[in-house]
Amino acid sequence: KSHLVEQLRTAGVTVACLEGNRILDPRWMWRLRRLLVRERIHVVHHHSPLVASLARLVQKTIRRRSRPASVSTEHNTWASFQPLTRVLDARTCRIDEEILAVSDEDGP
C-alpha cells in the first residue's frame, strides 16, 4: 500500500498513512476524521473494500466544501469478498470520485 509514498513525497505531495488494525479497533474512524479535518487532506485512497466502506462514511461527516475526494483501488474479484463487504462496498462506492481496478475482473 505504501510503495509510492516516497515518490509522492519527492514530488512534493504530503502523504499520511493510517496504520494499525483498523477493523478490530473502531477508534481508527475517529483518528481518520481528526486527521482529515486537522490536516485538510485533499484525497483519501482506499485499498480494502471493507475499510473503504467505513472510511467513506467517515468522510461524509465532513462538510462538503472541506471533504476530501475519495479514490479506491480494487485488488480482488468481487466474488472473493465476504457478503457483508460486498453490500457495504456497493452501497458506499458511489461516494468515490474514482475507482481503479488492477484487472477487468475486479470490483463491483
Side-chain angles (χ1 to χ4, degrees), residues 42-91:
H42 294 103
V43 177
V44 177
H45 182 219
H46 313 284
H47 289 269
S48 163
L50 181 56
V51 173
S53 299
L54 299 173
R56 291 175 189 126
L57 296 175
V58 169
Q59 287 172 250
K60 288 288 279 187
T61 69
I62 298 171
R63 291 179 308 199
R64 185 178 296 262
R65 70 173 188 243
S66 302
R67 186 181 308 151
S70 184
V71 177
S72 294
T73 299
E74 298 287 351
H75 294 276
N76 295 301
T77 61
W78 185 246
S80 71
F81 301 142
Q82 296 293 322
L84 177 60
T85 299
R86 278 187 249 159
V87 168
L88 289 172
D89 195 40
R91 297 256 198 266

mmCIF file of all heavy atoms in Angstrom, residues 42-91:
data_model
loop_
_atom_site.group_PDB
_atom_site.id
_atom_site.type_symbol
_atom_site.label_atom_id
_atom_site.label_comp_id
_atom_site.label_asym_id
_atom_site.label_seq_id
_atom_site.Cartn_x
_atom_site.Cartn_y
_atom_site.Cartn_z
ATOM 1 N N HIS A 42 -6.715 16.322 0.972
ATOM 2 C CA HIS A 42 -7.444 16.517 -0.282
ATOM 3 C C HIS A 42 -7.963 15.220 -0.894
ATOM 4 O O HIS A 42 -8.993 15.221 -1.562
ATOM 5 C CB HIS A 42 -6.562 17.225 -1.307
ATOM 6 C CG HIS A 42 -6.228 18.615 -0.913
ATOM 7 N ND1 HIS A 42 -5.005 18.971 -0.410
ATOM 8 C CD2 HIS A 42 -6.979 19.732 -0.912
ATOM 9 C CE1 HIS A 42 -5.001 20.255 -0.131
ATOM 10 N NE2 HIS A 42 -6.189 20.740 -0.423
ATOM 11 N N VAL A 43 -7.225 14.121 -0.714
ATOM 12 C CA VAL A 43 -7.605 12.848 -1.321
ATOM 13 C C VAL A 43 -7.373 11.729 -0.313
ATOM 14 O O VAL A 43 -6.330 11.682 0.337
ATOM 15 C CB VAL A 43 -6.768 12.552 -2.591
ATOM 16 C CG1 VAL A 43 -7.131 11.182 -3.178
ATOM 17 C CG2 VAL A 43 -6.939 13.643 -3.636
ATOM 18 N N VAL A 44 -8.348 10.831 -0.203
ATOM 19 C CA VAL A 44 -8.199 9.615 0.595
ATOM 20 C C VAL A 44 -8.214 8.447 -0.388
ATOM 21 O O VAL A 44 -9.149 8.314 -1.186
ATOM 22 C CB VAL A 44 -9.325 9.456 1.633
ATOM 23 C CG1 VAL A 44 -9.182 8.140 2.393
ATOM 24 C CG2 VAL A 44 -9.329 10.629 2.599
ATOM 25 N N HIS A 45 -7.167 7.628 -0.336
ATOM 26 C CA HIS A 45 -7.063 6.473 -1.234
ATOM 27 C C HIS A 45 -7.253 5.202 -0.424
ATOM 28 O O HIS A 45 -6.536 4.962 0.538
ATOM 29 C CB HIS A 45 -5.692 6.472 -1.920
ATOM 30 C CG HIS A 45 -5.538 5.354 -2.887
ATOM 31 N ND1 HIS A 45 -4.366 4.672 -3.006
ATOM 32 C CD2 HIS A 45 -6.402 4.793 -3.764
ATOM 33 C CE1 HIS A 45 -4.503 3.731 -3.927
ATOM 34 N NE2 HIS A 45 -5.731 3.790 -4.401
ATOM 35 N N HIS A 46 -8.226 4.394 -0.823
ATOM 36 C CA HIS A 46 -8.578 3.171 -0.110
ATOM 37 C C HIS A 46 -8.103 1.954 -0.896
ATOM 38 O O HIS A 46 -8.159 1.949 -2.120
ATOM 39 C CB HIS A 46 -10.102 3.046 0.039
ATOM 40 C CG HIS A 46 -10.779 4.273 0.506
ATOM 41 N ND1 HIS A 46 -10.742 4.691 1.818
ATOM 42 C CD2 HIS A 46 -11.524 5.192 -0.154
ATOM 43 C CE1 HIS A 46 -11.449 5.792 1.943
ATOM 44 N NE2 HIS A 46 -11.928 6.128 0.760
ATOM 45 N N HIS A 47 -7.712 0.909 -0.166
ATOM 46 C CA HIS A 47 -7.332 -0.352 -0.801
ATOM 47 C C HIS A 47 -8.247 -1.498 -0.404
ATOM 48 O O HIS A 47 -8.502 -2.378 -1.205
ATOM 49 C CB HIS A 47 -5.892 -0.728 -0.431
ATOM 50 C CG HIS A 47 -4.881 0.149 -1.074
ATOM 51 N ND1 HIS A 47 -4.323 -0.146 -2.287
ATOM 52 C CD2 HIS A 47 -4.331 1.315 -0.685
ATOM 53 C CE1 HIS A 47 -3.467 0.804 -2.613
ATOM 54 N NE2 HIS A 47 -3.458 1.698 -1.664
ATOM 55 N N SER A 48 -8.695 -1.523 0.808
ATOM 56 C CA SER A 48 -9.542 -2.608 1.312
ATOM 57 C C SER A 48 -11.007 -2.195 1.212
ATOM 58 O O SER A 48 -11.387 -1.135 1.725
ATOM 59 C CB SER A 48 -9.191 -2.891 2.781
ATOM 60 O OG SER A 48 -10.206 -3.633 3.398
ATOM 61 N N PRO A 49 -11.850 -2.998 0.570
ATOM 62 C CA PRO A 49 -13.248 -2.581 0.412
ATOM 63 C C PRO A 49 -14.017 -2.434 1.720
ATOM 64 O O PRO A 49 -14.880 -1.568 1.827
ATOM 65 C CB PRO A 49 -13.861 -3.671 -0.475
ATOM 66 C CG PRO A 49 -12.946 -4.828 -0.341
ATOM 67 C CD PRO A 49 -11.575 -4.286 -0.051
ATOM 68 N N LEU A 50 -13.701 -3.229 2.717
ATOM 69 C CA LEU A 50 -14.394 -3.093 3.997
ATOM 70 C C LEU A 50 -13.964 -1.800 4.694
ATOM 71 O O LEU A 50 -14.807 -0.998 5.122
ATOM 72 C CB LEU A 50 -14.140 -4.303 4.896
ATOM 73 C CG LEU A 50 -14.841 -4.270 6.254
ATOM 74 C CD1 LEU A 50 -16.345 -4.102 6.089
ATOM 75 C CD2 LEU A 50 -14.523 -5.532 7.038
ATOM 76 N N VAL A 51 -12.676 -1.569 4.777
ATOM 77 C CA VAL A 51 -12.173 -0.328 5.386
ATOM 78 C C VAL A 51 -12.638 0.869 4.562
ATOM 79 O O VAL A 51 -13.048 1.894 5.110
ATOM 80 C CB VAL A 51 -10.634 -0.361 5.512
ATOM 81 C CG1 VAL A 51 -10.092 0.978 5.978
ATOM 82 C CG2 VAL A 51 -10.202 -1.477 6.455
ATOM 83 N N ALA A 52 -12.604 0.743 3.240
ATOM 84 C CA ALA A 52 -13.049 1.841 2.373
ATOM 85 C C ALA A 52 -14.494 2.216 2.661
ATOM 86 O O ALA A 52 -14.832 3.398 2.733
ATOM 87 C CB ALA A 52 -12.881 1.448 0.913
ATOM 88 N N SER A 53 -15.342 1.211 2.837
ATOM 89 C CA SER A 53 -16.759 1.477 3.092
ATOM 90 C C SER A 53 -16.951 2.303 4.352
ATOM 91 O O SER A 53 -17.719 3.270 4.371
ATOM 92 C CB SER A 53 -17.531 0.158 3.234
ATOM 93 O OG SER A 53 -17.442 -0.590 2.060
ATOM 94 N N LEU A 54 -16.244 1.948 5.396
ATOM 95 C CA LEU A 54 -16.358 2.684 6.660
ATOM 96 C C LEU A 54 -15.702 4.059 6.554
ATOM 97 O O LEU A 54 -16.235 5.052 7.054
ATOM 98 C CB LEU A 54 -15.746 1.860 7.792
ATOM 99 C CG LEU A 54 -16.432 0.502 8.023
ATOM 100 C CD1 LEU A 54 -15.646 -0.317 9.041
ATOM 101 C CD2 LEU A 54 -17.869 0.674 8.443
ATOM 102 N N ALA A 55 -14.566 4.139 5.878
ATOM 103 C CA ALA A 55 -13.890 5.428 5.715
ATOM 104 C C ALA A 55 -14.734 6.389 4.891
ATOM 105 O O ALA A 55 -14.772 7.594 5.178
ATOM 106 C CB ALA A 55 -12.526 5.220 5.062
ATOM 107 N N ARG A 56 -15.405 5.880 3.878
ATOM 108 C CA ARG A 56 -16.290 6.744 3.078
ATOM 109 C C ARG A 56 -17.383 7.356 3.951
ATOM 110 O O ARG A 56 -17.730 8.534 3.796
ATOM 111 C CB ARG A 56 -16.930 5.941 1.955
ATOM 112 C CG ARG A 56 -15.976 5.505 0.878
ATOM 113 C CD ARG A 56 -16.709 4.621 -0.125
ATOM 114 N NE ARG A 56 -15.811 4.004 -1.054
ATOM 115 C CZ ARG A 56 -15.751 2.686 -1.272
ATOM 116 N NH1 ARG A 56 -16.559 1.854 -0.620
ATOM 117 N NH2 ARG A 56 -14.901 2.203 -2.145
ATOM 118 N N LEU A 57 -17.921 6.564 4.866
ATOM 119 C CA LEU A 57 -18.944 7.088 5.770
ATOM 120 C C LEU A 57 -18.374 8.169 6.675
ATOM 121 O O LEU A 57 -19.023 9.174 6.952
ATOM 122 C CB LEU A 57 -19.560 5.951 6.582
ATOM 123 C CG LEU A 57 -20.327 4.910 5.761
ATOM 124 C CD1 LEU A 57 -20.797 3.772 6.652
ATOM 125 C CD2 LEU A 57 -21.486 5.542 5.001
ATOM 126 N N VAL A 58 -17.145 7.966 7.132
ATOM 127 C CA VAL A 58 -16.461 8.992 7.933
ATOM 128 C C VAL A 58 -16.305 10.255 7.100
ATOM 129 O O VAL A 58 -16.586 11.364 7.568
ATOM 130 C CB VAL A 58 -15.089 8.487 8.434
ATOM 131 C CG1 VAL A 58 -14.273 9.624 9.031
ATOM 132 C CG2 VAL A 58 -15.256 7.359 9.439
ATOM 133 N N GLN A 59 -15.877 10.106 5.876
ATOM 134 C CA GLN A 59 -15.681 11.266 5.012
ATOM 135 C C GLN A 59 -16.985 12.041 4.811
ATOM 136 O O GLN A 59 -16.968 13.274 4.729
ATOM 137 C CB GLN A 59 -15.123 10.825 3.656
ATOM 138 C CG GLN A 59 -13.664 10.410 3.736
ATOM 139 C CD GLN A 59 -13.175 9.794 2.447
ATOM 140 O OE1 GLN A 59 -12.930 8.609 2.397
ATOM 141 N NE2 GLN A 59 -13.045 10.604 1.415
ATOM 142 N N LYS A 60 -18.100 11.341 4.750
ATOM 143 C CA LYS A 60 -19.392 12.005 4.560
ATOM 144 C C LYS A 60 -19.781 12.875 5.755
ATOM 145 O O LYS A 60 -20.653 13.729 5.629
ATOM 146 C CB LYS A 60 -20.496 10.974 4.304
ATOM 147 C CG LYS A 60 -20.431 10.313 2.951
ATOM 148 C CD LYS A 60 -20.831 11.243 1.847
ATOM 149 C CE LYS A 60 -22.322 11.323 1.739
ATOM 150 N NZ LYS A 60 -22.775 12.076 0.586
ATOM 151 N N THR A 61 -19.137 12.684 6.908
ATOM 152 C CA THR A 61 -19.456 13.512 8.078
ATOM 153 C C THR A 61 -18.759 14.871 8.021
ATOM 154 O O THR A 61 -18.997 15.716 8.877
ATOM 155 C CB THR A 61 -19.069 12.807 9.397
ATOM 156 O OG1 THR A 61 -17.642 12.724 9.499
ATOM 157 C CG2 THR A 61 -19.701 11.428 9.499
ATOM 158 N N ILE A 62 -17.911 15.065 7.025
ATOM 159 C CA ILE A 62 -17.182 16.329 6.869
ATOM 160 C C ILE A 62 -17.939 17.203 5.875
ATOM 161 O O ILE A 62 -18.434 16.713 4.850
ATOM 162 C CB ILE A 62 -15.742 16.047 6.380
ATOM 163 C CG1 ILE A 62 -15.001 15.206 7.428
ATOM 164 C CG2 ILE A 62 -15.004 17.350 6.105
ATOM 165 C CD1 ILE A 62 -13.664 14.690 6.965
ATOM 166 N N ARG A 63 -18.032 18.483 6.197
ATOM 167 C CA ARG A 63 -18.742 19.412 5.304
ATOM 168 C C ARG A 63 -18.247 19.266 3.876
ATOM 169 O O ARG A 63 -17.059 19.095 3.627
ATOM 170 C CB ARG A 63 -18.535 20.857 5.754
ATOM 171 C CG ARG A 63 -19.216 21.193 7.038
ATOM 172 C CD ARG A 63 -18.938 22.612 7.385
ATOM 173 N NE ARG A 63 -17.474 22.794 7.338
ATOM 174 C CZ ARG A 63 -16.823 23.767 7.915
ATOM 175 N NH1 ARG A 63 -17.452 24.683 8.566
ATOM 176 N NH2 ARG A 63 -15.517 23.847 7.848
ATOM 177 N N ARG A 64 -19.173 19.355 2.944
ATOM 178 C CA ARG A 64 -18.874 19.118 1.527
ATOM 179 C C ARG A 64 -17.681 19.946 1.031
ATOM 180 O O ARG A 64 -16.818 19.432 0.342
ATOM 181 C CB ARG A 64 -20.102 19.402 0.672
ATOM 182 C CG ARG A 64 -19.915 19.059 -0.784
ATOM 183 C CD ARG A 64 -21.182 19.316 -1.568
ATOM 184 N NE ARG A 64 -22.248 18.451 -1.117
ATOM 185 C CZ ARG A 64 -22.595 17.324 -1.713
ATOM 186 N NH1 ARG A 64 -21.951 16.929 -2.772
ATOM 187 N NH2 ARG A 64 -23.588 16.599 -1.246
ATOM 188 N N ARG A 65 -17.621 21.206 1.368
ATOM 189 C CA ARG A 65 -16.541 22.048 0.834
ATOM 190 C C ARG A 65 -15.177 21.699 1.419
ATOM 191 O O ARG A 65 -14.153 22.073 0.860
ATOM 192 C CB ARG A 65 -16.861 23.518 1.025
ATOM 193 C CG ARG A 65 -16.820 23.984 2.455
ATOM 194 C CD ARG A 65 -16.993 25.497 2.508
ATOM 195 N NE ARG A 65 -16.772 25.954 3.851
ATOM 196 C CZ ARG A 65 -17.675 26.535 4.593
ATOM 197 N NH1 ARG A 65 -18.871 26.760 4.121
ATOM 198 N NH2 ARG A 65 -17.383 26.916 5.816
ATOM 199 N N SER A 66 -15.154 20.998 2.543
ATOM 200 C CA SER A 66 -13.899 20.586 3.172
ATOM 201 C C SER A 66 -13.612 19.096 3.003
ATOM 202 O O SER A 66 -12.562 18.621 3.410
ATOM 203 C CB SER A 66 -13.945 20.899 4.669
ATOM 204 O OG SER A 66 -14.175 22.262 4.894
ATOM 205 N N ARG A 67 -14.540 18.380 2.421
ATOM 206 C CA ARG A 67 -14.434 16.916 2.323
ATOM 207 C C ARG A 67 -13.398 16.506 1.284
ATOM 208 O O ARG A 67 -13.410 16.993 0.163
ATOM 209 C CB ARG A 67 -15.791 16.349 1.940
ATOM 210 C CG ARG A 67 -15.853 14.839 1.956
ATOM 211 C CD ARG A 67 -17.223 14.333 1.555
ATOM 212 N NE ARG A 67 -18.260 14.968 2.357
ATOM 213 C CZ ARG A 67 -19.495 15.187 1.940
ATOM 214 N NH1 ARG A 67 -19.869 14.819 0.734
ATOM 215 N NH2 ARG A 67 -20.375 15.758 2.729
ATOM 216 N N PRO A 68 -12.511 15.585 1.650
ATOM 217 C CA PRO A 68 -11.534 15.111 0.666
ATOM 218 C C PRO A 68 -12.176 14.216 -0.385
ATOM 219 O O PRO A 68 -13.202 13.576 -0.139
ATOM 220 C CB PRO A 68 -10.533 14.312 1.513
ATOM 221 C CG PRO A 68 -11.274 13.924 2.735
ATOM 222 C CD PRO A 68 -12.321 14.977 2.964
ATOM 223 N N ALA A 69 -11.567 14.194 -1.546
ATOM 224 C CA ALA A 69 -12.002 13.270 -2.592
ATOM 225 C C ALA A 69 -11.686 11.848 -2.147
ATOM 226 O O ALA A 69 -10.749 11.609 -1.386
ATOM 227 C CB ALA A 69 -11.262 13.580 -3.895
ATOM 228 N N SER A 70 -12.471 10.911 -2.638
ATOM 229 C CA SER A 70 -12.316 9.511 -2.279
ATOM 230 C C SER A 70 -11.961 8.712 -3.527
ATOM 231 O O SER A 70 -12.642 8.810 -4.551
ATOM 232 C CB SER A 70 -13.622 9.006 -1.669
ATOM 233 O OG SER A 70 -13.487 7.684 -1.232
ATOM 234 N N VAL A 71 -10.880 7.919 -3.436
ATOM 235 C CA VAL A 71 -10.418 7.082 -4.545
ATOM 236 C C VAL A 71 -10.142 5.690 -3.997
ATOM 237 O O VAL A 71 -9.537 5.548 -2.935
ATOM 238 C CB VAL A 71 -9.129 7.659 -5.183
ATOM 239 C CG1 VAL A 71 -8.607 6.747 -6.279
ATOM 240 C CG2 VAL A 71 -9.369 9.067 -5.705
ATOM 241 N N SER A 72 -10.602 4.665 -4.715
ATOM 242 C CA SER A 72 -10.369 3.284 -4.288
ATOM 243 C C SER A 72 -9.664 2.496 -5.377
ATOM 244 O O SER A 72 -9.877 2.746 -6.561
ATOM 245 C CB SER A 72 -11.685 2.581 -3.973
ATOM 246 O OG SER A 72 -12.301 3.155 -2.859
ATOM 247 N N THR A 73 -8.860 1.549 -4.950
ATOM 248 C CA THR A 73 -8.252 0.586 -5.865
ATOM 249 C C THR A 73 -8.768 -0.792 -5.478
ATOM 250 O O THR A 73 -8.645 -1.207 -4.331
ATOM 251 C CB THR A 73 -6.714 0.612 -5.786
ATOM 252 O OG1 THR A 73 -6.261 1.911 -6.146
ATOM 253 C CG2 THR A 73 -6.108 -0.407 -6.726
ATOM 254 N N GLU A 74 -9.371 -1.469 -6.446
ATOM 255 C CA GLU A 74 -9.870 -2.830 -6.243
ATOM 256 C C GLU A 74 -8.760 -3.802 -6.632
ATOM 257 O O GLU A 74 -8.254 -3.751 -7.750
ATOM 258 C CB GLU A 74 -11.116 -3.082 -7.095
ATOM 259 C CG GLU A 74 -12.287 -2.186 -6.762
ATOM 260 C CD GLU A 74 -12.962 -2.548 -5.455
ATOM 261 O OE1 GLU A 74 -12.653 -3.596 -4.874
ATOM 262 O OE2 GLU A 74 -13.821 -1.758 -5.016
ATOM 263 N N HIS A 75 -8.403 -4.672 -5.694
ATOM 264 C CA HIS A 75 -7.313 -5.617 -5.927
ATOM 265 C C HIS A 75 -7.796 -7.054 -6.089
ATOM 266 O O HIS A 75 -7.018 -7.920 -6.451
ATOM 267 C CB HIS A 75 -6.323 -5.584 -4.758
ATOM 268 C CG HIS A 75 -5.604 -4.284 -4.639
ATOM 269 N ND1 HIS A 75 -4.480 -3.999 -5.360
ATOM 270 C CD2 HIS A 75 -5.865 -3.179 -3.892
ATOM 271 C CE1 HIS A 75 -4.053 -2.783 -5.061
ATOM 272 N NE2 HIS A 75 -4.892 -2.265 -4.179
ATOM 273 N N ASN A 76 -9.040 -7.311 -5.799
ATOM 274 C CA ASN A 76 -9.565 -8.675 -5.820
ATOM 275 C C ASN A 76 -10.866 -8.723 -6.616
ATOM 276 O O ASN A 76 -11.509 -7.702 -6.836
ATOM 277 C CB ASN A 76 -9.836 -9.176 -4.397
ATOM 278 C CG ASN A 76 -8.568 -9.286 -3.598
ATOM 279 O OD1 ASN A 76 -7.651 -10.009 -3.978
ATOM 280 N ND2 ASN A 76 -8.492 -8.553 -2.497
ATOM 281 N N THR A 77 -11.253 -9.919 -7.001
ATOM 282 C CA THR A 77 -12.514 -10.065 -7.710
ATOM 283 C C THR A 77 -13.667 -9.835 -6.733
ATOM 284 O O THR A 77 -13.551 -10.107 -5.538
ATOM 285 C CB THR A 77 -12.653 -11.461 -8.332
ATOM 286 O OG1 THR A 77 -12.626 -12.439 -7.298
ATOM 287 C CG2 THR A 77 -11.559 -11.725 -9.345
ATOM 288 N N TRP A 78 -14.753 -9.340 -7.249
ATOM 289 C CA TRP A 78 -15.946 -9.047 -6.453
ATOM 290 C C TRP A 78 -16.401 -10.291 -5.692
ATOM 291 O O TRP A 78 -16.779 -10.227 -4.535
ATOM 292 C CB TRP A 78 -17.015 -8.531 -7.403
ATOM 293 C CG TRP A 78 -18.273 -8.057 -6.770
ATOM 294 C CD1 TRP A 78 -19.494 -8.619 -6.907
ATOM 295 C CD2 TRP A 78 -18.449 -6.923 -5.923
ATOM 296 N NE1 TRP A 78 -20.428 -7.901 -6.201
ATOM 297 C CE2 TRP A 78 -19.810 -6.853 -5.594
ATOM 298 C CE3 TRP A 78 -17.597 -5.957 -5.415
ATOM 299 C CZ2 TRP A 78 -20.337 -5.871 -4.781
ATOM 300 C CZ3 TRP A 78 -18.118 -4.966 -4.603
ATOM 301 C CH2 TRP A 78 -19.466 -4.934 -4.298
ATOM 302 N N ALA A 79 -16.349 -11.444 -6.337
ATOM 303 C CA ALA A 79 -16.809 -12.690 -5.721
ATOM 304 C C ALA A 79 -15.945 -13.115 -4.539
ATOM 305 O O ALA A 79 -16.382 -13.894 -3.692
ATOM 306 C CB ALA A 79 -16.842 -13.808 -6.761
ATOM 307 N N SER A 80 -14.719 -12.613 -4.448
ATOM 308 C CA SER A 80 -13.835 -13.021 -3.349
ATOM 309 C C SER A 80 -14.167 -12.320 -2.029
ATOM 310 O O SER A 80 -13.693 -12.730 -0.979
ATOM 311 C CB SER A 80 -12.373 -12.760 -3.714
ATOM 312 O OG SER A 80 -12.110 -11.364 -3.731
ATOM 313 N N PHE A 81 -14.984 -11.271 -2.073
ATOM 314 C CA PHE A 81 -15.326 -10.536 -0.858
ATOM 315 C C PHE A 81 -16.421 -11.268 -0.086
ATOM 316 O O PHE A 81 -17.285 -11.920 -0.676
ATOM 317 C CB PHE A 81 -15.826 -9.123 -1.184
ATOM 318 C CG PHE A 81 -14.842 -8.276 -1.930
ATOM 319 C CD1 PHE A 81 -15.276 -7.411 -2.912
ATOM 320 C CD2 PHE A 81 -13.484 -8.342 -1.667
ATOM 321 C CE1 PHE A 81 -14.382 -6.618 -3.607
ATOM 322 C CE2 PHE A 81 -12.586 -7.551 -2.354
ATOM 323 C CZ PHE A 81 -13.034 -6.689 -3.325
ATOM 324 N N GLN A 82 -16.414 -11.097 1.210
ATOM 325 C CA GLN A 82 -17.483 -11.627 2.052
ATOM 326 C C GLN A 82 -18.783 -10.892 1.710
ATOM 327 O O GLN A 82 -18.758 -9.729 1.291
ATOM 328 C CB GLN A 82 -17.152 -11.420 3.538
ATOM 329 C CG GLN A 82 -15.942 -12.180 4.005
ATOM 330 C CD GLN A 82 -16.188 -13.680 3.964
ATOM 331 O OE1 GLN A 82 -17.270 -14.156 4.262
ATOM 332 N NE2 GLN A 82 -15.161 -14.426 3.567
ATOM 333 N N PRO A 83 -19.932 -11.525 1.895
ATOM 334 C CA PRO A 83 -21.213 -10.882 1.549
ATOM 335 C C PRO A 83 -21.409 -9.509 2.202
ATOM 336 O O PRO A 83 -21.854 -8.568 1.533
ATOM 337 C CB PRO A 83 -22.260 -11.881 2.028
ATOM 338 C CG PRO A 83 -21.565 -13.209 1.938
ATOM 339 C CD PRO A 83 -20.128 -12.924 2.312
ATOM 340 N N LEU A 84 -21.075 -9.366 3.482
ATOM 341 C CA LEU A 84 -21.239 -8.067 4.144
ATOM 342 C C LEU A 84 -20.345 -7.011 3.488
ATOM 343 O O LEU A 84 -20.770 -5.874 3.273
ATOM 344 C CB LEU A 84 -20.920 -8.170 5.643
ATOM 345 C CG LEU A 84 -20.988 -6.851 6.415
ATOM 346 C CD1 LEU A 84 -22.388 -6.243 6.335
ATOM 347 C CD2 LEU A 84 -20.569 -7.053 7.853
ATOM 348 N N THR A 85 -19.132 -7.381 3.148
ATOM 349 C CA THR A 85 -18.219 -6.450 2.483
ATOM 350 C C THR A 85 -18.793 -6.026 1.137
ATOM 351 O O THR A 85 -18.750 -4.842 0.781
ATOM 352 C CB THR A 85 -16.837 -7.096 2.292
ATOM 353 O OG1 THR A 85 -16.304 -7.417 3.576
ATOM 354 C CG2 THR A 85 -15.884 -6.169 1.573
ATOM 355 N N ARG A 86 -19.344 -6.962 0.386
ATOM 356 C CA ARG A 86 -19.944 -6.630 -0.916
ATOM 357 C C ARG A 86 -21.089 -5.636 -0.757
ATOM 358 O O ARG A 86 -21.187 -4.666 -1.506
ATOM 359 C CB ARG A 86 -20.462 -7.894 -1.600
ATOM 360 C CG ARG A 86 -19.372 -8.636 -2.318
ATOM 361 C CD ARG A 86 -19.958 -9.767 -3.121
ATOM 362 N NE ARG A 86 -19.525 -10.982 -2.457
ATOM 363 C CZ ARG A 86 -20.086 -12.150 -2.553
ATOM 364 N NH1 ARG A 86 -21.150 -12.315 -3.293
ATOM 365 N NH2 ARG A 86 -19.609 -13.183 -1.924
ATOM 366 N N VAL A 87 -21.936 -5.859 0.235
ATOM 367 C CA VAL A 87 -23.080 -4.968 0.454
ATOM 368 C C VAL A 87 -22.595 -3.570 0.837
ATOM 369 O O VAL A 87 -23.038 -2.568 0.260
ATOM 370 C CB VAL A 87 -24.026 -5.540 1.539
ATOM 371 C CG1 VAL A 87 -25.040 -4.508 1.981
ATOM 372 C CG2 VAL A 87 -24.711 -6.789 1.031
ATOM 373 N N LEU A 88 -21.696 -3.498 1.808
ATOM 374 C CA LEU A 88 -21.194 -2.185 2.250
ATOM 375 C C LEU A 88 -20.477 -1.449 1.123
ATOM 376 O O LEU A 88 -20.671 -0.249 0.926
ATOM 377 C CB LEU A 88 -20.259 -2.352 3.449
ATOM 378 C CG LEU A 88 -20.921 -2.756 4.762
ATOM 379 C CD1 LEU A 88 -19.866 -3.085 5.804
ATOM 380 C CD2 LEU A 88 -21.836 -1.648 5.256
ATOM 381 N N ASP A 89 -19.643 -2.163 0.385
ATOM 382 C CA ASP A 89 -18.896 -1.540 -0.707
ATOM 383 C C ASP A 89 -19.845 -1.059 -1.801
ATOM 384 O O ASP A 89 -19.718 0.075 -2.288
ATOM 385 C CB ASP A 89 -17.868 -2.526 -1.268
ATOM 386 C CG ASP A 89 -16.831 -1.853 -2.142
ATOM 387 O OD1 ASP A 89 -16.387 -0.737 -1.795
ATOM 388 O OD2 ASP A 89 -16.461 -2.436 -3.178
ATOM 389 N N ALA A 90 -20.819 -1.872 -2.152
ATOM 390 C CA ALA A 90 -21.774 -1.477 -3.191
ATOM 391 C C ALA A 90 -22.595 -0.257 -2.773
ATOM 392 O O ALA A 90 -22.889 0.613 -3.593
ATOM 393 C CB ALA A 90 -22.700 -2.651 -3.518
ATOM 394 N N ARG A 91 -22.944 -0.183 -1.498
ATOM 395 C CA ARG A 91 -23.760 0.939 -1.007
ATOM 396 C C ARG A 91 -22.962 2.239 -0.862
ATOM 397 O O ARG A 91 -23.540 3.312 -0.906
ATOM 398 C CB ARG A 91 -24.379 0.591 0.338
ATOM 399 C CG ARG A 91 -25.323 -0.570 0.293
ATOM 400 C CD ARG A 91 -26.751 -0.069 0.368
ATOM 401 N NE ARG A 91 -27.674 -1.125 0.746
ATOM 402 C CZ ARG A 91 -28.339 -1.847 -0.145
ATOM 403 N NH1 ARG A 91 -28.150 -1.642 -1.414
ATOM 404 N NH2 ARG A 91 -29.176 -2.779 0.246
#
